[in-house]
Amino acid sequence: MPVTERQTRQRTAIRDAIADAGSPIAPREILARAQTKVRGVGLATVYRTLKLLADAGIVKTVDIPGESPRFELAGKAHHHHFVCRGCGKVFELEGCCGHFHDEVPRGFKVEDHEVVLFGRCAACATPRKR
Ligand SMILES: [Zn+2]
Ligand SMILES: [Zn+2]
């Protein structure tokens, strides 16, 4: 089935929404951002497009334990994530403190890891003035 111009526009809008977010973003937020750029995008389109973009290696899924999957652009340098329990935002943390090969039993070989930290972001950690 050939890709229509409308589909291309929707795909671009969805990819841009993920790129502009700068941190892992949930499908509903992708929808809200994409809707400001193209008409006629629905959640089903977002999910369908995310699958296409993931299969093409353009976006990747970020699994936060206990939450529905979020998405970020693929191909970034290895990084970790921080989940704020106050506002629910997910932040990217640069760099890696990982020396995880010391933490596995003898003979095991670590090939990859994902680290998710939970806490409060600067805005949520500071008590609000009333
Ligand atoms: Zn927060
Ligand atoms: Zn790491």
Side-chain angles (χ1 to χ4, degrees):
M1 206 171 60
V3 180
T4 65
E5 201 193 313
R6 181 162 166 250
Q7 284 173 320
T8 306
R9 276 206 307 273
Q10 289 177 342
R11 243 171 250 188
T12 307
I14 287 165
R15 192 210 158 273
D16 288 352
I18 297 167
D20 293 347
S23 58
I25 180 172
R28 284 193 179 278
E29 293 171 65
I30 296 171
L31 176 64
R33 283 167 180 264
Q35 277 173 336
T36 66
K37 304 253 176 71
V38 282
R39 288 159 112 333
V41 196
L43 203 52
T45 315
V46 171
Y47 278 112
R48 205 172 338 115
T49 308
L50 284 171
K51 192 179 178 310
L52 280 170
L53 293 174
D55 289 347
I58 295 164
V59 306
K60 64 180 261 199
T61 310
V62 177
D63 285 310
I64 306 289
E67 290 199 24
S68 48
R70 289 168 180 260
F71 296 84
E72 67 181 7
L73 289 188
K76 294 188 192 194
H78 172 78
H79 59 272
H80 299 167
H81 293 110
F82 181 100
V83 182
C84 176
R85 285 187 166 140
C87 61
K89 279 191 200 148
V90 179
F91 300 83
E92 277 181 19
L93 305 176
E94 272 181 45
C96 180
C97 51
H99 306 290
F100 297 105
H101 31 265
D102 296 338
E103 301 191 19
V104 293
R106 214 187 156 83
F108 285 42
K109 191 173 179 305
V110 178
E111 293 182 337
D112 202 1
H113 69 261
E114 285 179 25
V115 175
V116 181
L117 303 177
F118 295 87
R120 292 186 179 268
C121 72
C124 293
T126 315
R128 237 175 250 153
K129 293 193 185 99
R130 307 188 184 213

